[in-house]
Amino acid sequence: MNHRRLLITGGAGFIGTNFVYHWLQNHPGDRVVVLDALTYAGNRANLASLETQENFRFVQGDIGDRLLIDQLLSQEKIDTIAHFAAESHVDRSILQPGAFIQTNVVGTFTLLEAFRQHWEQQKQPSEYRFLHVSTDEVYGSLNPTDTPFTETTPYAPNSPYSASKAGSDHLVRAYYHTYNLPTIITNCSNNYGSYQFPEKLIPLMCINILQGKPLPIYGDGKNVRDWLYVGDHCSALDIVINQGIPGETYNIGGDNEVENIKLVEMLCTLMDELAPELPVSPSSKLITFVKDRLGHDRRYAIDASKITNQLGWQPSVTVEQGLRLTVKWYLSHFEWWQALLSEDYQAYYQQNYQK
Ligand code: NAD
Ligand code: DAU
C-alpha cells in the first residue's frame, strides 16, 4: 500500500508513544490519528512535538464510544487500525478488574464492529488491516524446563488482565474467521524503554533508586520475564502491518529471559555508574523482598521463530544495551516522571505495596 491512514489507539501510552514516533519516522507520507482516553497511563505531552505536523492528529476519546469511532473512521478515511489501548497493569487488575473488562473486552469489540462496518462500506478492501497488540500472558505460566510459548500454545490466562486480553484476542480471531475482516494478532513479551509509566518493574525501580525508596521485589524474586526493548517491538509491528498475513498470529519476544532479582541488580549497577549522585549508595541496599503478587506467573518465554522465519524480524538490542539506554532516559527525563507522581499514584502505591 502506498500511503496508509492509521488510527492508533492508546497512542499516548508507553508502547503507543514509541510506535507513533517510529511510524512517522519510517513512513513520513502516512497519516496518523491517535485516539486515547488519557487515563492515568496516557500522557498527551509525550506527543507534543508532533502536534504541529499536518499528517498528525490527536483525539481524546474512548474506544468504547461507537459514535466517535464511526466518525473518525469515515472522516479520516482510516485503512489501518493499530490497537494498543488497554488497561495494562496486572497489579491494578487484581485490585480493580472492572475497567479491564470494559476497555480490553468491550472496547475492543466496539472497535471491531465499527471497523467491520467501515470496511464493508468500502467494499472490503484487502489491504485494510486491524492489528491487535496483545501479550504473551494469555498463554499462562511456564515451568523452568518448559519450552517457550509458540503461536499454538493453548490459552491459560491467570490474572484478570491476561484473561481480558485473552477475551479480546478471541474476538479479533472470530472477526477474521466469521467476516474475513483482515485482522492480525501479535502476542509480545515484556517491553521496556522510554515513556513507560512507573508502575511497571523497570521504571518503578529506576525512579525509586533516584528517590532513595525501597525496591520492592515480589516473593523470592525468581520469577522470569523475557525482556524486549520497545523499539524492537515497534519494528516488529511495522513489519506485521506491512507484510503479515491476515488471520495469523505472531509471537514477538526478545529471547532475553532474566530473573527479576537479577534484572533489578543490573539496574542498580547501572544507576550506581550513571547517576551523578544517589540518596543511597550502592543502590542495591534498597532491595526489599515483599509479599508476592496474587496468582503471580512464574515464567514467560517467547518462541519468536515464526516472525523471524516468515517475516524476517529479529530483535536488535540486547538487554544490557537496552537497560543502559533506559536508565539514561529516566536520568535525563526527571520532569517527565516527576509529573506522574500524583496523589492518585501515591494512593495506588500505598494500596498495592501495603497489602
Ligand atoms: P499503557 O498502559 O502504557 O498505555 C495504554 C494507553 O491506552 C494509555 O495511553 C491509555 O490512556 C489508553 N487507554 C486506556 N483505556 C482506553 C480507552 N478505553 N480508550 C482509549 N484509550 C485508552 O500500556 P502499554 O504498556 O503501552 O501497552 C500497550 C498495549 O500493548 C496493551 O494492549 C498491552 O496489553 C500490550 N502489551 C504490553 C506489553 C508491555 O510490556 N507493556 C507487552 C505486550 C503487550
Ligand atoms: O508479558 C507482557 C506483559 O508484561 C504485558 O502484557 C503487561 O502489560 C506488562 O505490564 C507486563 O506484565 P508483568 O506483570 O510481567 O510486568 P511488571 O513490570 O508489572 O512485572 C514484571 C515482574 O516484576 C513480575 O514478575 C512482577 C515483578 N514485580 C513487579 C513490580 C511492579 C516486582 O517484583 N515488584 C514490583 O514492584
Side-chain angles (χ1 to χ4, degrees):
M1 198 168 187
N2 268 350
H3 286 300
R4 288 192 182 273
R5 302 180 67 86
L6 285 92
L7 179 67
I8 301 181
T9 71
F14 160 50
I15 306 175
T17 294
N18 281 281
F19 183 76
V20 169
Y21 281 108
H22 166 97
W23 195 273
L24 285 169
Q25 231 157 40
N26 290 280
H27 309 277
D30 287 5
R31 170 113 181 120
V32 165
V33 179
V34 166
L35 173 68
D36 197 297
L38 298 181
T39 67
Y40 77 92
N43 192 344
R44 187 168 179 172
N46 294 355
L47 305 169
S49 67
L50 300 172
E51 300 239 9
T52 51
Q53 250 177 248
E54 267 184 19
N55 60 344
F56 175 82
R57 177 178 170 199
F58 180 86
V59 178
Q60 182 173 357
D62 198 304
I63 55 165
D65 183 345
R66 177 66 194 268
L67 275 180
L68 173 66
I69 310 288
D70 285 346
Q71 230 174 31
L72 284 176
L73 294 179
S74 77
Q75 251 179 22
E76 293 285 353
K77 301 186 174 54
I78 297 297
D79 50 54
T80 304
I81 294 187
H83 178 32
F84 294 87
E87 289 293 335
S88 69
H89 191 41
V90 173
D91 293 318
R92 288 188 195 251
S93 84
I94 295 167
L95 295 170
Q96 284 177 336
F100 289 71
I101 305 306
Q102 204 52 44
T103 287
N104 301 359
V105 182
V106 182
T108 301
F109 163 71
T110 307
L111 207 56
L112 281 166
E113 267 297 275
F115 193 60
R116 175 168 80 91
Q117 189 183 36
H118 174 66
W119 169 76
E120 282 171 352
Q121 279 165 358
Q122 323 301 312
K123 309 220 167 15
Q124 309 189 348
S126 59
E127 70 278 14
Y128 276 34
R129 290 290 177 273
F130 185 106
L131 169 69
H132 180 60
V133 181
S134 193
T135 171
D136 60 357
E137 299 200 11
V138 297
Y139 299 122
S141 184
L142 292 168
N143 289 315
T145 54
D146 288 344
T147 53
F149 303 129
T150 70
E151 289 78 2
T152 54
T153 301
Y155 274 33
N158 289 320
S159 72
Y161 163 68
S162 52
S164 68
K165 290 297 289 187
S168 63
D169 290 9
H170 292 323
L171 284 168
V172 174
R173 175 192 155 88
Y175 270 67
Y176 172 76
H177 283 272
T178 307
Y179 306 110
N180 216 19
L181 191 71
T183 64
I184 304 182
I185 299 172
T186 54
N187 294 95
C188 187
S189 64
N190 286 63
N191 282 217
Y192 66 100
S194 53
Y195 299 104
Q196 190 167 29
F197 191 84
E199 62 189 351
K200 308 281 165 51
L201 181 70
I202 289 178
L204 185 131
M205 296 297 161
C206 288
I207 73 160
N208 281 15
I209 293 172
L210 292 171
Q211 297 173 101
K213 283 174 61 178
L215 308 180
I217 312 272
Y218 296 157
D220 63 2
K222 297 210 163 140
N223 300 66
V224 172
R225 296 292 183 266
D226 176 358
W227 294 96
L228 179 69
Y229 188 62
V230 65
D232 280 330
H233 188 190
C234 292
S235 67
L237 297 177
D238 186 330
I239 292 176
V240 168
I241 287 177
N242 283 308
Q243 296 171 41
I245 311 287
E248 292 289 318
T249 288
Y250 298 93
N251 279 359
I252 304 170
D255 200 13
N256 268 317
E257 285 187 59
V258 190
E259 279 182 358
N260 292 338
I261 183 67
K262 294 241 168 64
L263 188 90
V264 173
E265 284 166 356
M266 285 165 83
L267 282 172
C268 288
T269 307
L270 276 169
M271 276 289 180
D272 292 346
E273 177 198 331
L274 296 170
E277 56 186 58
L278 289 172
V280 175
S281 176
S283 51
S284 57
K285 279 202 240 164
L286 293 167
I287 290 176
T288 311
F289 288 89
V290 300
K291 191 166 178 263
D292 209 352
R293 172 186 278 175
L294 295 179
H296 196 175
D297 284 339
R298 193 62 173 171
R299 173 180 167 235
Y300 304 141
I302 279 276
D303 176 346
S305 52
K306 177 174 172 182
I307 187 171
T308 300
N309 295 337
Q310 296 187 8
L311 305 182
W313 173 85
Q314 49 189 18
S316 65
V317 177
T318 65
V319 81
E320 289 77 14
Q321 292 166 331
L323 286 181
R324 185 170 282 270
L325 288 171
T326 305
V327 166
K328 283 187 177 171
W329 192 87
Y330 282 90
L331 280 172
S332 59
H333 288 78
F334 261 77
E335 282 163 20
W336 183 87
W337 59 261
Q338 268 169 338
L340 304 177
L341 308 183
S342 61
E343 265 179 36
D344 281 357
Y345 178 82
Q346 308 297 350
Y348 158 73
Y349 203 93
Q350 285 281 106
Q351 197 186 2
N352 191 52
Y353 292 96
Q354 311 246 319
K355 60 195 178 223

